[in-house]
Amino acid sequence: MGEPTGSVPAPTKNPVLRTPQVVSGRVVRTGGVSLRVRGRTVAVTALLVALLVVVMGITLTTGDFPLTVGEVVGALTGNSSGAADFVVNTLRMPRLLTAVFVGAALAVSGAILQSLTRNSLGSPDIIGFTNGSAVGALVVIILLHGSMTQIAFGALVGGLATALAVHLLMIGRGLQGFRLIVIGIGVSALLLAANSYLITRATFQEAQEAQAWLIGSLGNRFWTHAHAIGIALAVLLPPALLLSRRLAMVEMGDITATALGVNVARTRTVLLVIGVALAAFATAVTGPIWFIALAAPQVVRRLTGSSAPSLLSSALMGALLLTVSDLVVQRVFAPALLPVGTATGAIGGLYLIWLLITESRKSRA
């Protein structure tokens, strides 16, 4: 296992060797592009793909209206009965794809921010970006009485505005990890207070609608939601993957990254924008869903045994965690309509307690 992401590495005479996992593995060259591949990372990625396919299959075939694999395939290819087609293409598939895309977006956002801050607490739900999206949505719900599309747009604007506010507070001080987390936590507390104030100003019906959105849910999600987050992921994930090697170098320290030819300030800024945008789009579609951005990157690091960020594996892990969570709340708690945010929040709280205890013990060692 590599160095804990929550610790700041001590300077060494040869900082390039601080994270040997980053430079290990087999180099694959395709045309003018070279890619270093680690066998264990490839194996973990393949396993996550297989597990995700299995969970998606279970989600599509089970429920109040059970279907066979053949019926699901027929519905997806347009060769099925009306009932199966309605269940798969109208009820289950949009919700499932929304869960896959939102989980992937949150996990990649968490992986980027944790790597930039070099701290396992550096996820969008800890440093305020998710609460910023919630403020934007509540403003639309309570003050502007907007539609669902306008609520999603308000959440996106709120998340990006929060990132801009944090950035302005750090001007002249450098985009250092610990400082970003501290300022982000402070901003998050202010935004949480703003959320509470907005709810007190709402009517009973508006307060119910706002509270339902704040819990985070995949219920009543249709193709418009899946398309929106899918397009956002398709646009933002490729540049994040292209910059993943630079991200690994930045995580090794500014001096090392600069010596290796990385423009640290530009790389941090671009990746920060990508990470915040992914979290904002995900929150805009489903409301705040906790735990995924915090835990998925850390679980992947432990599985792969690498201290370098693996954005693709993190995306798959986030998609798997959210689809499993949604499957559990749909099947185990049926017929109760339990929002998935309740389940992820409960698990995330326990995980955060464990993480804080672990980091505290490491700091004392």
Side-chain angles (χ1 to χ4, degrees):
M1 294 293 293
E3 226 176 47
T5 56
S7 62
V8 178
T12 62
K13 294 182 179 178
N14 190 0
V16 178
L17 299 180
R18 185 184 70 81
T19 53
Q21 298 91 333
V22 175
V23 297
S24 64
R26 179 183 177 184
V27 177
V28 178
R29 289 182 174 86
T30 303
V33 180
S34 63
L35 180 65
R36 192 173 299 274
V37 179
R38 297 181 69 249
R40 184 169 172 180
T41 301
V42 172
V44 170
T45 302
L47 177 61
L48 290 174
V49 170
L51 291 175
L52 182 59
V53 170
V54 170
V55 173
M56 292 177 70
I58 295 173
T59 301
L60 292 175
T61 55
T62 61
D64 294 335
F65 192 86
L67 297 171
T68 65
V69 174
E71 288 174 323
V72 170
V73 173
L76 295 176
T77 57
N79 299 313
S80 68
S81 64
D85 179 74
F86 175 77
V87 170
V88 172
N89 292 313
T90 302
L91 300 181
R92 294 178 184 172
M93 183 58 78
R95 175 171 180 156
L96 176 59
L97 289 181
T98 301
V100 170
F101 295 151
V102 167
L106 289 174
V108 173
S109 174
I112 290 174
L113 294 175
Q114 288 175 13
S115 187
L116 288 178
T117 59
R118 283 181 278 176
N119 194 304
S120 52
L121 294 176
S123 66
D125 38 9
I126 299 295
I127 57 180
F129 301 147
T130 301
N131 280 338
S133 297
V135 170
L138 290 182
V139 167
V140 175
I141 293 173
I142 296 172
L143 301 181
L144 303 180
H145 312 288
S147 63
M148 189 64 202
T149 302
Q150 293 170 329
I151 292 171
F153 180 74
L156 178 61
V157 172
L160 295 176
T162 302
L164 178 60
V166 172
H167 178 71
L168 292 176
L169 289 172
M170 298 184 68
I171 287 180
R173 300 177 178 83
L175 190 58
Q176 301 299 324
F178 180 74
R179 186 179 293 114
L180 176 61
I181 291 177
V182 172
I183 292 177
I185 290 175
V187 171
S188 180
L190 292 174
L191 293 171
L192 189 61
N195 288 343
S196 301
Y197 172 76
L198 286 170
I199 291 179
T200 63
R201 303 293 297 177
T203 63
F204 180 74
Q205 183 176 356
E206 291 171 341
Q208 278 190 319
E209 184 180 355
Q211 191 59 42
W213 190 90
L214 284 173
I215 293 176
S217 174
L218 287 165
N220 296 322
R221 294 304 182 266
F222 305 107
W223 284 111
T224 52
H225 302 92
H227 289 157
I229 186 61
I231 292 171
L233 196 63
V235 171
L236 295 170
L237 185 57
L241 294 175
L242 289 175
L243 292 172
S244 60
R245 184 157 178 78
R246 293 186 186 182
L247 178 62
M249 294 178 184
V250 170
E251 188 175 346
M252 295 166 68
D254 291 3
I255 296 176
T256 302
T258 303
L260 293 172
V262 177
N263 187 324
V264 175
R266 181 182 301 172
T267 301
R268 273 207 182 105
T269 301
V270 172
L271 285 169
L272 181 63
V273 170
I274 293 174
V276 173
L278 284 170
F281 273 110
T283 305
V285 170
T286 61
I289 293 182
W290 309 99
F291 169 65
I292 304 298
L294 178 67
Q298 294 300 310
V299 174
V300 166
R301 284 179 185 258
R302 285 167 171 77
L303 290 176
T304 60
S306 173
S307 61
S310 178
L311 299 187
L312 181 58
S313 298
S314 296
L316 292 170
M317 178 60 73
L320 179 63
L321 289 176
L322 189 54
T323 51
V324 169
S325 299
D326 191 45
L327 178 63
V328 169
V329 298
Q330 287 187 78
R331 303 295 183 260
V332 175
F333 295 94
L337 300 177
L338 184 67
V340 69
T342 303
T344 60
I347 298 173
L350 296 175
Y351 178 82
L352 182 58
I353 292 172
W354 174 83
L355 186 61
L356 290 172
I357 294 174
T358 302
E359 293 299 326
S360 176
R361 289 176 178 173
K362 289 176 183 176
S363 64
R364 295 176 183 175

